[in-house]
Amino acid sequence: MTTAEHTAEELRAARERFISQWGVISAAWGINRTMAQIHALLLAGTAPLSTDDIMAALQISRGNVNTNVRELVGWGLIRVVLRKGERKEYFEAEKDVWRIFCTIARERQRREIDPALAVLRECAERTSKLKGAEAEDFHAVMSNLGDFVGQASAAMDRIARSERSKFMPLILKMLR
């Protein structure tokens, strides 16, 4: 095996490993496996891919690709690329890691944190005038959780809307 063949084989294996693992960890982020694998395939590639390319690479159906690509475009994690003279759409991933993080943070906030915060605040409001130890304890827990989630949400919102140059040094300093 030549050096070039060895390099190509190692690169292929590393890409496959990344795509597979990105799909596995996606469940912890609330993202379906196929959507994450498509994102990883586009993220790890060097050229935009068509629906047919994605189908072949991941061995999934056209409908599955179309559904997940639409979702990824909706999130802002991939974009449509049109090639002059071709009817096919091609897709490429955002490759700036900070932008990917901010996009995912905003989507998770909109889909998960905001609804949870609304429920916590509603429960606190509904129990604010109730009497009795159990009701007062429940109200206190809901209020405290609501305050905490609200503050965490505001902090994440600030980070997600910021420029990397402002927050990365602070975050790295806090982690040391």
Side-chain angles (χ1 to χ4, degrees):
M1 183 182 291
T2 68
T3 303
E5 291 171 333
H6 176 72
T7 298
E9 179 59 27
E10 283 298 313
L11 180 58
R12 184 198 58 74
R15 279 186 175 142
E16 285 180 7
R17 177 81 170 116
F18 169 69
I19 292 165
S20 176
Q21 189 60 33
W22 201 249
V24 170
I25 63 173
S26 67
W29 300 343
I31 299 168
N32 82 59
R33 177 178 283 189
T34 302
M35 190 166 109
Q37 288 177 329
I38 291 170
H39 181 241
L41 176 68
L42 295 170
L43 191 60
T46 57
L49 300 177
S50 70
T51 299
D52 293 334
D53 298 331
I54 297 168
M55 288 169 51
L58 298 178
Q59 299 180 343
I60 56 178
S61 71
R62 181 174 306 279
N64 204 354
V65 171
N66 287 335
T67 299
N68 285 291
V69 161
R70 274 195 310 274
E71 189 77 14
L72 286 163
V73 168
W75 278 52
L77 292 171
I78 68 171
R79 61 190 149 269
V80 177
V81 176
L82 299 175
R83 292 185 178 168
K84 190 174 181 175
E86 289 196 40
R87 291 179 52 183
K88 279 185 184 179
E89 289 183 331
Y90 291 81
F91 306 94
E92 67 182 1
E94 171 61 59
K95 296 203 178 200
D96 182 288
V97 176
W98 182 256
R99 285 187 182 151
I100 293 169
F101 168 78
C102 291
T103 298
I104 291 171
R106 278 191 304 273
E107 277 298 310
R108 298 231 27 214
Q109 180 164 343
R110 184 180 69 80
R111 293 170 183 243
E112 300 166 23
I113 296 170
D114 290 349
L117 185 56
V119 168
L120 291 169
R121 288 179 174 159
E122 176 194 340
C123 290
E125 177 63 30
R126 291 177 73 175
T127 59
S128 66
K129 294 181 176 128
L130 298 179
K131 301 296 179 200
E134 191 174 342
E136 290 168 4
D137 183 57
F138 181 82
H139 173 73
V141 169
M142 293 300 104
S143 293
N144 290 336
L145 277 171
D147 289 347
F148 177 79
V149 171
Q151 290 173 3
S153 176
M156 282 302 295
D157 188 49
R158 236 176 278 126
I159 291 169
R161 294 183 192 286
S162 73
E163 294 179 27
R164 166 188 6 209
S165 60
K166 292 180 183 177
F167 277 97
M168 282 310 285
L170 293 172
I171 292 169
L172 293 173
K173 187 176 181 179
M174 289 187 329
L175 293 175
R176 287 186 185 146

